[in-house]
Amino acid sequence: KRPEKPRKKQKSGKKQTEIAEYDKTVSENFQKETFKDKQENSGGKQDMAEKFQMTQKGYEEAVKLLKYLQGTKRKEIVARIAEARSHGDLSENAEYDAARTEQSNNEMAIEELDYKIKNAEIIAESNDTSKVNIGNVVKVYDPDLDEEETYEITGTTEANILENKISNVSPVGAALIGAKVGDHVTVRPENAESYVLVVKEITLAKN
């Protein structure tokens, strides 16, 4: 049992925040550690690359986003940097600093997304709803909160907590993968208390 019983909406929001923060942390750690290791190993034998599971739709959207970041987005940032430089002293130029930070973030996002696309594992579409997999919509019941929630399980590049789309490596997603209707699964968020969800229904996501 959890020590406190705040209002239901607060607890539901807390769970969604945990999921979003986990996916954000995974992305940040991937950026800081994976690419550093990749660069250090570039002169020698590289380890087997991690695979990133995606649906075909998710893969195509990731490729489209990568092209945007490499093309339009890069040009827009370069233009803003040039404009900021034209204002003079860079030591006290907030616009310049902001544009350079955005440039750094964009380049990191490009590198991360490019790596994931190159190491993507496309999950074949299936009509199987006997157990949870990527591409399924899952209705779950939380006995602690006496609430039901619905999630769509996606690959890492498709997750969007605002649309209740969670990745297969998030705490809830990882707990649900492979579960069947009626199963009780334990969600283990990082640095947070574990809780149980009951699988109520498994359906196919609408394209």
Side-chain angles (χ1 to χ4, degrees):
K1 295 288 184 181
R2 299 178 212 179
E4 297 181 355
K5 280 280 186 181
R7 289 179 298 174
K8 290 181 179 180
K9 287 186 177 180
Q10 289 178 325
K11 291 193 78 177
S12 296
K14 181 181 178 182
K15 283 189 181 181
Q16 290 187 330
T17 300
E18 289 170 356
I19 298 167
E21 287 180 349
Y22 179 87
D23 283 332
K24 181 174 181 291
T25 299
V26 169
S27 177
E28 289 176 347
N29 288 342
F30 184 87
Q31 291 174 349
K32 294 176 182 178
E33 298 174 8
T34 303
F35 295 129
K36 179 180 178 181
D37 293 341
K38 188 177 68 171
Q39 290 172 352
E40 290 176 350
N41 293 332
S42 61
K45 184 178 180 180
Q46 293 187 342
D47 295 332
M48 183 178 294
E50 179 182 1
K51 292 297 181 182
F52 298 90
Q53 294 183 329
M54 305 180 193
T55 61
Q56 183 62 41
K57 179 182 177 182
Y59 177 83
E60 291 171 357
E61 289 177 347
V63 171
K64 183 178 179 180
L65 175 59
L66 179 61
K67 289 181 178 179
Y68 166 74
L69 296 177
Q70 291 174 323
T72 304
K73 187 70 172 179
R74 262 183 179 159
K75 291 178 181 178
E76 289 176 349
I77 295 173
V78 169
R80 282 199 290 275
I81 290 175
E83 174 66 20
R85 277 178 173 162
S86 69
H87 296 163
D89 187 6
L90 299 182
S91 63
E92 298 181 1
N93 192 326
E95 291 183 6
Y96 175 79
D97 291 339
R100 287 304 300 267
T101 297
E102 185 178 8
Q103 183 181 49
S104 177
N105 291 338
N106 188 61
E107 293 305 313
M108 191 68 75
I110 288 171
E111 191 172 4
E112 176 186 7
L113 192 55
D114 181 61
Y115 185 82
K116 287 182 176 181
I117 290 171
K118 289 178 178 177
N119 294 284
E121 179 181 350
I122 306 300
I123 303 300
E125 293 185 11
S126 172
N127 293 322
D128 182 18
T129 56
S130 64
K131 60 183 180 180
V132 180
N133 207 336
I134 292 176
N136 285 148
V137 173
V138 188
K139 181 185 290 185
V140 298
Y141 171 69
D142 185 328
D144 277 353
L145 304 182
D146 190 25
E147 285 185 349
E148 287 189 346
E149 187 60 88
T150 301
Y151 297 109
E152 180 178 343
I153 312 299
T154 72
T156 55
T157 62
E158 303 163 81
N160 184 340
I161 194 60
L162 297 179
E163 298 177 359
N164 269 21
K165 294 181 178 181
I166 59 174
S167 76
N168 60 313
V169 297
S170 68
V172 173
L176 289 174
I177 289 291
K180 300 179 180 180
V181 172
D183 283 355
H184 291 59
V185 301
T186 301
V187 181
R188 296 182 172 85
E190 188 174 354
N191 301 320
E193 184 181 357
S194 299
Y195 55 93
V196 172
L197 297 176
V198 183
V199 180
K200 303 292 288 184
E201 183 180 52
I202 304 171
T203 58
L204 296 175
K206 296 180 181 180
N207 294 325

